[in-house]
Amino acid sequence: GNTLLIIHLNDQRRNEDHDETEIHCGTDLSSFSFYPEEEEFLSWPGTDFSFLQYDYDHRKNKHVIHLISSCYT
């Protein structure tokens, strides 16, 4: 296709001890995929997404849409 969705899923937040803790919004399916380089990810039910940015790559003739998950809020 000519559309690429880039979805920002994980967040680095600090806990009380000021250590960074990764928060996940789903699970990585790359190891089960025929196309692991596509970094397929299954988000948890109820995860909301908000629009961040739109770009058009003229070189690749591709729409690029950036979304952010509710894990960031």
Side-chain angles (χ1 to χ4, degrees), residues 14-26:
R14 297 191 179 273
N15 61 22
E16 307 86 47
D17 301 325
H18 304 289
D19 295 329
E20 290 188 4
T21 304
E22 191 169 6
I23 299 170
H24 292 282
C25 297

Side-chain angles (χ1 to χ4, degrees), residues 47-64:
T47 302
D48 294 322
F49 299 95
S50 298
F51 174 82
L52 276 181
Q53 179 179 337
Y54 167 81
D55 297 305
Y56 185 76
D57 187 334
H58 292 279
R59 188 174 46 94
K60 295 181 179 179
N61 191 32
K62 190 171 289 244
H63 302 274
V64 181

